[in-house]
Amino acid sequence: MPQRQETLMEPKMNNGNGHGHGCAIVNGCTSDEVIEWFEQVSQKGGSVQKEILSQILKQNHGAEYVKKWLGYHNIQEMDSSALESLFTSVVPISSHADFEPFIQRIADGDTNPLLTQQPITTLSLSSGTTEGRQKFVPFTRHSAQTTLQIFTLAAAYRSRVYPIREGGKILEFIYSSNTFKTKGGLTVGTATTHYYASEEFKIKQEQTKSFTCSPAEVISGGDYKQSTYCHLLLGLFFSDQVEFITSAFVYSIIQAFRSFQELWCEICNDIRSGSLSSRIKLPKMRKAVLEIIGPNPILASKLENICKELELVDWFGLIPKLWPNAKYVYSIMTGSMLPYVTKLRHYANGLPLVSADYGSTESWIGVNVDPSLPPEKVTFTVVPTFSYFEFIPLYRHNKQEDYRSIVADDFIEDKPIPLSQVKAGQEYEIVLTTFTGLYRCRLGDVVEVAGFHNGIPKLNFVCRRKLILTVNIDKNTEKDLQLVVERGSQLLNRAKKAELVDFTSYAHVSNEPGHYVIFWEIDGYAEDSLLEACCTEMDASFADHGYVVSRKTKSIGPLELCIVERGTFKKILDNFIANGAALSQFKTPRCTSNHGMLNILRACALKKFRSTAYNT
Ligand code: AMP
């Protein structure tokens, strides 16, 4: 089959109100044209942003929230620069909590224009795995359209480096959550759930001529274990046709392949006989899968032989062995997903890992325009047509005087600035004004400007902002913890007997002095002396000045490493899913005070070690 540059026949890229803004992509354009569009838009990011803000405000000027702040101004007549100045001087910086009363009224059936002029009929649930609580976020047709747009754009850049075969299949580990109706009749589910159910998801498949292996009944089954089994079964049934393997966050791929190590015999039996394991109980899912598969004893024997060989090498190179035509693995691998990349590399044996784009339930933010970069180096170029973005400069508390008193916040903040004024090397918190009714809303993510693409910032994702370990004057972010755990687990890797499966942490402050507890689930055997060394290494690796000072003065106790039994983090996942989270958006919280999660961790504790760093 000839290779091709993907032909993109997506609908017109517009600004959300269907009118476009002069830099739109037209129907049926090729990947080169899509890239051309983005190259043009990114050269005038500042003016595009002003125009986007103007469109959001003019579209929604009648909504209660907009009237509250801008009601006395004739915004319809204002030019975009004047409107931007007015907006940023009058409308306050807010957080999700400020929108909750409005969203609650919408959920309860209030049909007055509260946040947007157009009625909101659907709400998305954020994953809630980082803040312990799922948030409702308005979802509109625009949300699904921007998802299609960013996928189109990312696919265009990917196809330049890794062209794929037309008519091929994609093995997608994607999962819809269950949806429900609010008192006012609005549909609620995760943003990915709405997207998989949308017209845009179908358009994407039909027009890029790349089809997911699994039918809708598998994606939306509502039971992630049954869905994973069927994704794997169908992925293998079509193994020669699979062009790439993907998921929203890479965690889903890792959990699927870990399950595969247990399930492969059963899956091969199903392929041999064209039957379906009794573990698939959902009638619609059974019917849909059985309609696709048929007996294929030759393929089953071939796969069985490969799996037997793979078992001997601890499943090294599983992906290229089982999917010989796969060109790459594509998924979010940055941020809290980075720790899973080691395992993914083990499965991928050199197959390119393409880190996917940056977004949130609130809005898509940036696209990966350099697909050949490894996940550790990936940046996200802001797409200035998606939302109006502002950036709050953040500074770390690393000056001695900051520690004279206990500092209340994780960073020192400066005034928010527009996209056109950000500086390379500076860290910021992102603030969003969206087409879906959020105005100057803090996202809670810390990013660093790594450089520029035609004047548009390229962002490094640093961490979630509020996820910090703190006992007194110390402040360690999710990223700090990740680096420390990486240092500790390197000792484990060097010993080559065990690997880190997953981790989290907790600030233990109920006893004096307080101390950090890091929980590790490991696969394999490690001697106590090695684990103690890992614990000490991690304690000594925290670079935060407040932590180092407190450890030296013994106002923070020695770090505790708690080893939990195998399967603990699966139980945590199950617990989150039972409480309404969706696998597609699940991120293991790296620092927790969630009682349910701590109860599981404590009940599964096997061994505890205390660091000997700072003993002298
Ligand atoms: P949610 O909307 O709850 O599913 O999660 C959105 C959050 O996931 C963002 O605010 C980020 O913290 C994180 N996230 C999304 N995309 C990326 C990415 N490419 N790299 C790192 N973290 C990401």
Side-chain angles (χ1 to χ4, degrees), residues 126-128 249 332 334-335 356-362 380 443 445 461 464 585 587:
S126 70
S127 64
F249 289 89
I332 293 176
T334 37
D357 311 292
Y358 174 34
S360 67
T361 304
E362 290 82 351
F380 306 100
L443 180 60
D445 283 349
F461 180 86
R464 292 287 299 165
Q585 282 169 249
K587 305 155 200 87

Side-chain angles (χ1 to χ4, degrees), residues 502-575:
D502 220 332
F503 67 94
T504 189
S505 68
Y506 165 65
H508 192 294
V509 287
S510 50
N511 294 340
E512 287 282 327
H515 69 280
Y516 294 179
V517 185
I518 297 183
F519 296 91
W520 273 13
E521 178 178 326
I522 57 175
D523 188 12
Y525 175 75
E527 299 88 15
D528 287 359
S529 55
L530 175 60
L531 292 170
E532 201 175 289
C534 294
C535 179
T536 301
E537 174 75 11
M538 288 195 285
D539 199 12
S541 300
F542 279 105
D544 168 57
H545 187 71
Y547 185 78
V548 174
V549 169
S550 306
R551 284 290 289 117
K552 283 185 181 156
T553 55
K554 309 224 180 309
S555 52
I556 294 183
L559 178 87
E560 179 180 328
L561 171 61
C562 178
I563 305 296
V564 293
E565 63 193 35
R566 282 289 280 127
T568 303
F569 281 83
K570 193 94 185 284
K571 284 187 191 159
I572 290 171
L573 168 69
D574 288 342
N575 186 267

Side-chain angles (χ1 to χ4, degrees), residues 145-206:
Q145 283 172 346
T146 53
T147 303
L148 176 57
Q149 288 167 10
I150 195 153
F151 287 177
T152 306
L153 195 52
Y157 280 101
R158 268 194 336 269
S159 70
R160 278 187 165 182
V161 188
Y162 308 114
I164 58 168
R165 190 174 56 83
E166 189 174 296
K169 295 226 177 258
I170 316 171
L171 172 51
E172 289 195 88
F173 293 102
I174 51 177
Y175 306 83
S176 295
S177 65
N178 288 322
T179 55
F180 62 91
K181 293 270 183 201
T182 65
K183 195 171 130 197
L186 280 81
T187 307
V188 181
T190 59
T192 42
T193 302
H194 299 321
Y195 174 67
Y196 301 142
S198 72
E199 207 40 46
E200 280 73 15
F201 183 61
K202 287 184 208 123
I203 293 171
K204 167 94 177 96
Q205 297 194 68
E206 280 156 18

